[in-house]
Amino acid sequence: MQDDRLPDDRLIVALDVPNIVQGLELAGRLGDTVSFYKIGLGMLTGGGFALANELKQEHGKRIFLDMKLFDIGATVEAAVRGIAQYDLDFLTVHGDPQVVRAAVEGRSGTGLKILAVTVLTSLDRSDLDANMIRAGDLSEITIERAARALEAGADGVICSPQEAAAIRALPQALGRLIVTPGVRPAGADLGDQKRVATPAQAIADGVDHIVVGRPVWRAADPAAAARAIVAEMMSPQARAPNR
């Protein structure tokens, strides 16, 4: 059971701010409330790698580098090998099996966890049609992509909370991580997310980590917002068995 005296690392706060200065300022306001941060492509040109290293090495935070790498195998392997030197915790790549295998080879010998992106939580079936993705139920495609990525060696997957329970039930998911963006506290603005759930529902469905950005960093008191999300994750609804 989570010790309520410690930060709950099931909550990953997305530092979706423009640069390292604002990232450090936000991390300072959150203080000991948050122990795990996501740094993505939007921060890359604003000092993202430097911020990741400073938060990890000087502040003892866990770091999820959300790069969503996708390229030929040799390029992905080389990129991951370079990133793995930073002693970070999670790295995302696209869930295509050949990409996952290359990433796993690149991180060899390190503790970096490779997470495979299934279908972005900002997409729905109409978006897949526009992108010429094969016909079929979006959830079924997401679950199939998750299974294939896990078979290729991914340490876990990124999926919407709406597919989390079905992915957790996969035999390939035993002992693997499920990390979900698209999580919004009850009553929060959905923003550009289309397939969402509350923190309590995501945890009840077998998610290991939830990623929350705007509901925290746009709040007047980010630390209070983060504590409220943790309280939702520890509520009876989060501990209830799946229905």
Side-chain angles (χ1 to χ4, degrees):
M1 178 175 292
Q2 176 71 29
D3 185 340
D4 60 11
R5 296 170 299 178
L6 301 173
D8 191 329
D9 76 355
R10 294 177 299 174
L11 171 62
I12 300 176
V13 170
L15 291 176
D16 294 332
V17 292
N19 55 56
I20 185 172
V21 173
Q22 292 182 42
L24 286 172
E25 190 273 337
L26 177 58
R29 293 180 70 189
L30 289 166
D32 293 336
T33 306
V34 173
S35 61
F36 212 151
Y37 288 103
K38 180 178 84 75
I39 296 173
L41 285 171
M43 172 72 82
L44 193 60
T45 58
F49 277 111
L51 176 61
N53 192 58
E54 182 165 345
L55 289 174
K56 178 76 175 185
Q57 303 302 329
E58 298 185 26
H59 299 276
K61 305 298 184 180
R62 300 184 70 192
I63 300 296
F64 167 15
L65 196 63
D66 187 20
M67 295 288 104
K68 299 184 180 71
L69 298 177
F70 180 79
D71 211 312
I72 64 171
T75 300
V76 171
E77 182 179 338
V80 174
R81 184 173 294 113
I83 290 169
Q85 299 177 57
Y86 286 84
D87 189 32
L88 306 179
D89 297 276
F90 293 172
L91 172 69
T92 50
V93 303
H94 276 265
D96 306 67
Q98 75 277 10
V99 174
V100 172
R101 285 191 289 268
V104 170
E105 184 65 26
R107 68 90 192 269
S108 180
T110 73
L112 181 65
K113 301 291 187 185
I114 302 299
L115 302 181
V117 176
T118 54
V119 176
L120 297 175
T121 55
S122 61
L123 303 183
D124 58 19
R125 182 62 252 183
S126 65
D127 296 309
L128 269 60
D129 292 339
N131 293 337
M132 296 189 293
I133 305 298
R134 71 169 174 84
D137 180 76
L138 186 148
S139 291
E140 291 179 3
I141 292 171
T142 301
I143 294 161
E144 183 177 346
R145 279 181 60 81
R148 293 186 181 190
L150 294 169
E151 289 167 357
D155 298 292
V157 297
I158 307 291
C159 66
S160 96
Q162 295 182 7
E163 291 89 38
I167 291 173
R168 176 54 68 204
L170 291 171
Q172 298 94 331
L174 182 63
R176 309 293 182 92
L177 296 166
I178 297 177
V179 179
T180 58
V183 174
R184 290 289 184 267
D189 180 17
L190 299 186
D192 56 3
Q193 301 292 353
K194 295 178 180 177
R195 290 153 42 234
V196 302
T198 63
Q201 185 61 55
I203 296 300
D205 284 341
V207 169
D208 296 286
H209 299 275
I210 66 170
V211 180
V212 184
R214 281 163 285 192
V216 172
W217 58 260
R218 282 183 174 172
D221 185 341
R227 286 193 294 270
I229 292 168
V230 170
E232 278 197 55
M233 292 194 298
M234 298 179 71
S235 69
Q237 291 80 7
R239 296 192 293 271
N242 297 332
R243 294 291 187 265

